[in-house]
Amino acid sequence: MLRHAPGLIANLDGIPSAVRSPANLDRIQSERARLQDDSVRISQELHREFFGGRLSNTGAGQWYAERKLEDLDALDELFRTETCRRLLLMDMRSGERGFAAIAIGDPDTADHISVTIPGLNTNVKDSMRGMVGEATRLRAEAMRQLELAGRKESVATIAWIGYDAPQVIGPGKFDIGRASFDVSRSSKAGIAADALGSFFHGLRAASVNDRVHITALGHSYGSLATSLALQRGASAAVDDVVFYGSPGVRAKVESDLGIADRHVYVMKAEGDSIAGFGRFGGDPTRTEFHRLSTAEGITPDGVKHERAFGHAEYARTGDNGELRMSGYNLAVVVAGLPELAVVA
């Protein structure tokens, strides 16, 4: 199948990443050629239309085709020299923008797997490199904590952009009104939830480890998508959940999500106005979920971690080169070491 029909298995949840990744990498050039042909065809159609397509959807079609070509270029660059990454998803047909998921490490054999689900303004071209960097640092810290605990276990972290997150910039160049409308509604999160649920179940099905530990990390609008996926059955494949920078998840206790008690965590950084928005069921930090710290402090291993501030710093490093406190907390949850987390 990999040799003769890679397109049938490249994005099929449940197929091992060792098969999905080469299948997707082999398709990058053929997808680029298809999108280039589409762009040329649409451009010719625009020349034939009155007002250059401004009164039809043709112009928007060309804009999205060009953006998907940029998404492919970004993926190609990320895999040009790296060998420890796996391309678990590469879909340039289903959405307005391209979809992709990149694993750091081997999720087929890992003892611990995390999946990060992002929110507003996330797309492959502008966001995937940063997400892969964050996933790489998260994996390194999780493995360091496991080593300190004397546990010889492996970790794989995944950056997942498998849906059309609300975007400020669109075919109208600056579709701020549309983005505000999208991010205030749950429709895009609902679409994402179905794809995400299938992805989680596929990870567990493809794993050779019967006791693989899977953590969902939902940031911003992605936390809503994550909560909906759990409520629709993904909880059977997920062990731990962290919501951070969340505008709401429509759940107040673990049983609302189908997750075991004290296995749902929340973080809200100082200065994060999105996390206090409460658009979808109120502020999740005011629920019974286990709240973790984002403040500056020293962790049980004696390392100082800087605070996270605002909406975007949770998974980033501080000026001292260490993950911020929020990133440390993400790492110990991913590693299955919640007893080492620093509580709020």
Side-chain angles (χ1 to χ4, degrees), residues 113-287:
I113 304 173
S114 72
V115 181
T116 299
I117 304 94
L120 177 67
N121 269 357
T122 305
N123 60 73
V124 174
K125 171 185 174 287
D126 299 318
S127 312
M128 186 55 89
R129 174 169 289 280
M131 287 187 66
V132 166
E134 291 175 359
T136 301
R137 293 187 290 272
L138 175 66
R139 176 174 181 258
E141 181 65 19
M143 292 182 68
R144 190 177 80 85
Q145 293 299 326
L146 284 165
E147 184 177 358
L148 288 174
R151 290 166 52 174
K152 296 181 179 180
E153 298 170 12
S154 57
V155 180
T157 53
I158 299 171
W160 185 87
I161 305 179
Y163 78 114
D164 281 317
Q167 302 287 313
V168 169
I169 298 177
K173 301 306 179 187
F174 293 96
D175 290 350
I176 296 175
R178 176 188 168 187
S180 299
F181 179 76
D182 284 345
V183 82
S184 67
R185 296 169 60 86
S186 62
S187 54
K188 284 183 177 288
I191 295 171
D194 292 332
L196 184 59
S198 177
F199 187 77
F200 276 123
H201 281 289
L203 289 174
R204 191 167 289 279
S207 175
V208 299
N209 188 340
D210 290 339
R211 302 183 64 182
V212 61
H213 168 241
I214 298 178
T215 303
L217 307 175
H219 177 236
S220 188
Y221 188 79
S223 66
L224 175 63
T226 303
S227 69
L228 293 176
L230 295 171
Q231 290 169 341
R232 296 178 185 181
S235 57
V238 174
D239 300 291
D240 286 292
V241 186
V242 187
F243 299 124
Y244 51 109
S246 174
V249 295
R250 291 182 177 166
K252 296 187 182 301
V253 294
E254 285 87 346
S255 59
D256 292 340
L257 299 169
I259 299 294
D261 287 350
R262 302 196 58 85
H263 284 266
V264 179
Y265 306 88
V266 292
M267 291 190 291
K268 178 181 177 181
E270 181 183 353
D272 186 350
S273 58
I274 301 298
F277 187 42
R279 175 66 179 86
F280 306 104
D283 185 348
T285 62
R286 298 180 180 274
T287 64

Side-chain angles (χ1 to χ4, degrees), residues 80-101:
R80 197 163 292 161
T81 57
E82 293 292 336
T83 58
C84 66
R85 298 171 182 168
R86 295 194 175 185
L87 186 56
L88 305 186
L89 172 66
M90 196 275 289
D91 181 356
M92 297 293 155
R93 296 173 181 263
S94 299
E96 295 176 348
R97 298 291 297 258
F99 297 163

